């Protein structure tokens, strides 16, 4: 089956892993990328998304998205995780092309209308553009095929004890996305933090696929150094964003729970995703368990098949 996927992204090192996976996977047609703040500013995210499209040598349109969250004051970018320019210590990479003139939320709506019941939205950054698309044209809710997000998680967090970064960076947007009349699949920390990559994995990717694997290996060094500060100096990192793409190509690797969801938008628990008691909220799928070895193997073999 060919999945038409639109990735909303804040590249970002694991975002680069996700985009290369999508671009190389034979069952994914990567129809576009939209950009958002989070790991870097939206300005840098847009250039980086174009860098990734040009590295894979595919004509993937990129639309620039929101620069700030819907309501809250922006949190600082995660440059301490992904580097000042988003790809570790790499300086800004040159690009040939440019972003579309159309803003991200309009591009999302247009793609959904031009491909009714075919587009899978895969947001792997804060959900601002997705919420803006819903506000702009609520009819997209019945015309999108699926929304598979990397974000959130039940009873876990990474920026705080309660909150995952993508939800925490725009909790109001995430809550609007969970409140809408569509069905979301959450690939959150419950599963993404189970999938771990080591320096030897990135070295292997560089050997097998010098251009794309080499790019990931170079960018990942900074990411591994950051994770070492969290894990008693052990250099290994979570495969957050690619895991959401693998939930599209290989759903059988995951177990699913269904819950109505909401997001706490203020106070100590701001950014926490939790069960909702609101009877008007639709149930969503939350991925809870994962065959982490199978997911990692799927990622490695897809990137190994690159160049
Ligand atoms: C998420 O936050 C970002 O730092 C990563 O790219 C990923 O999308 C993990 O919490
Ligand atoms: Ca991301």
């Amino acid at each position: 089956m060919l999945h038409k996927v639109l990735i909303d992204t804040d590249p970002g090192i694991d975002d680069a892993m996700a985009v290369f996976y999508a671009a190389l996977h034979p069952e994914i047609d990567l129809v576009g990328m939209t950009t958002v703040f989070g790991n870097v500013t939206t300005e840098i995210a847009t250039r980086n998304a174009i860098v990734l499209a040009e590295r894979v040598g595919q004509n993937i349109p990129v639309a620039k998205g929101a620069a700030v969250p819907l309501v809250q004051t922006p949190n600082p970018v995660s440059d301490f995780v992904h580097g000042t320019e988003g790809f570790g210590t790499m300086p800004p990479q040159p690009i040939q092309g440019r972003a579309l003139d159309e803003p991200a939320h309009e591009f999302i709506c247009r793609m959904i209308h031009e491909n009714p019941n075919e587009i899978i939205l895969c947001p792997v950054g804060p959900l601002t553009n997705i919420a803006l698309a819903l506000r702009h044209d609520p009819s997209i809710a019945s015309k999108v095929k699926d929304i598979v997000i990397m974000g959130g998680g039940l009873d876990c967090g990474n920026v705080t004890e309660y909150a995952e970064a993508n939800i925490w960076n725009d909790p109001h947007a995430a809550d609007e996305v969970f409140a809408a009349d569509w069905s979301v699949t959450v690939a959150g920390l419950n599963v993404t933090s189970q999938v771990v990559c080591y320096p030897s994995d990135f070295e292997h990717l560089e050997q097998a696929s010098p251009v794309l694997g080499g790019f990931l290996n170079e960018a990942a060094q900074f990411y591994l150094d950051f994770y070492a500060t969290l894990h008693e100096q052990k250099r290994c990192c979570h495969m957050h964003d690619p895991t959401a793409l693998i939930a599209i190509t290989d759903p059988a690797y995951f177990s699913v729970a269904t819950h109505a969801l909401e997001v706490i938008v203020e106070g100590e628990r701001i950014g926490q995703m939790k069960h909702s008691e609101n009877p008007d909220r639709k149930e969503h799928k939350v991925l809870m368990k994962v065959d982490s070895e199978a997911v990692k193997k799927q990622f490695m073999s897809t990137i190994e098949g690159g160049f």
Side-chain angles (χ1 to χ4, degrees):
M1 189 198 297
L2 191 62
H3 305 284
K4 287 191 184 182
V5 176
L6 197 164
I7 299 182
D8 185 75
T9 177
D10 58 339
I13 294 162
D14 59 326
D15 301 75
M17 294 164 76
V19 170
F20 287 175
Y21 176 83
L24 291 172
H25 198 286
E27 291 175 18
I28 292 182
D29 176 9
L30 182 52
V31 298
M33 287 188 266
T34 49
T35 61
V36 70
F37 61 90
N39 295 329
V40 288
T41 62
T42 304
E43 200 65 42
I44 295 178
T46 306
R47 189 185 58 234
N48 285 355
I50 297 170
V51 167
L52 297 175
E54 293 181 353
R55 290 293 163 115
V56 294
Q58 296 178 14
N59 186 17
I60 304 162
V62 173
K64 185 177 177 183
V68 291
L70 294 186
V71 177
Q72 74 178 14
T73 307
N75 294 318
V77 293
S78 307
D79 53 357
F80 55 99
V81 184
H82 295 268
T84 327
E85 295 292 334
F87 297 140
T89 55
M90 278 188 213
Q93 299 295 295
I95 52 175
Q96 310 294 320
R98 56 190 289 270
L100 302 173
D101 291 328
E102 201 174 17
H105 65 282
E106 288 183 19
F107 176 68
I108 291 169
C109 293
R110 182 167 65 79
M111 291 304 285
I112 292 172
H113 282 294
E114 287 178 1
N115 302 271
N117 303 311
E118 286 191 311
I119 298 291
I120 300 176
L121 293 179
C122 188
V124 295
L127 291 162
T128 321
N129 293 328
I130 312 301
L132 287 173
L134 272 170
R135 286 181 179 188
H136 180 70
D137 182 356
S139 77
I140 61 169
S142 62
K143 296 209 172 95
V144 73
K145 184 173 180 193
D146 209 348
I147 307 112
V148 181
I149 75 165
M150 190 287 128
L154 289 171
D155 304 314
C156 46
N158 59 1
V159 278
T160 70
E161 193 184 324
Y162 311 105
E164 180 281 328
N166 290 340
I167 306 294
W168 183 75
N169 277 325
D170 196 343
H172 299 86
D175 194 57
E176 287 189 22
V177 168
F178 291 140
D181 188 19
W182 58 4
S183 170
V184 175
T185 299
V186 177
L189 295 177
N190 303 95
V191 291
T192 66
S193 61
Q194 304 305 312
V195 190
V196 180
C197 272
Y198 296 89
S200 56
D201 295 319
F202 290 106
E203 282 158 25
H204 177 75
L205 290 179
E206 174 154 14
Q207 277 159 18
S209 164
V211 174
L212 301 184
F215 182 95
L216 294 181
N217 190 26
E218 186 179 345
Q221 298 309 312
F222 188 91
Y223 201 44
L224 291 161
D225 287 343
F226 164 72
Y227 271 92
T229 66
L230 306 178
H231 298 153
E232 294 166 347
Q233 300 310 316
K234 201 155 181 238
R235 292 183 90 235
C236 57
C237 62
H238 295 148
M239 244 176 69
H240 295 299
D241 292 349
T243 300
L245 272 300
I246 295 166
I248 296 171
T249 55
D250 299 273
Y253 295 162
F254 302 85
S255 78
V256 182
T258 52
H259 301 283
L261 297 170
E262 62 187 40
V263 175
I264 296 177
V265 296
E266 58 191 4
E268 186 199 1
R269 291 180 180 239
I270 190 168
Q272 182 179 1
M273 178 188 112
K274 62 191 269 282
H275 306 153
S276 177
E277 304 299 329
N278 184 340
D280 296 334
R281 293 221 169 184
K282 203 163 169 167
E283 292 206 320
H284 299 301
K285 297 185 197 130
V286 184
L287 305 181
M288 294 302 294
K289 288 195 176 148
V290 56
D291 181 342
S292 50
E293 283 312 307
V295 166
K296 187 167 158 188
K297 207 167 151 196
Q298 176 62 18
F299 174 75
M300 295 295 288
S301 63
T302 302
I303 305 295
E304 278 165 24
F307 50 90

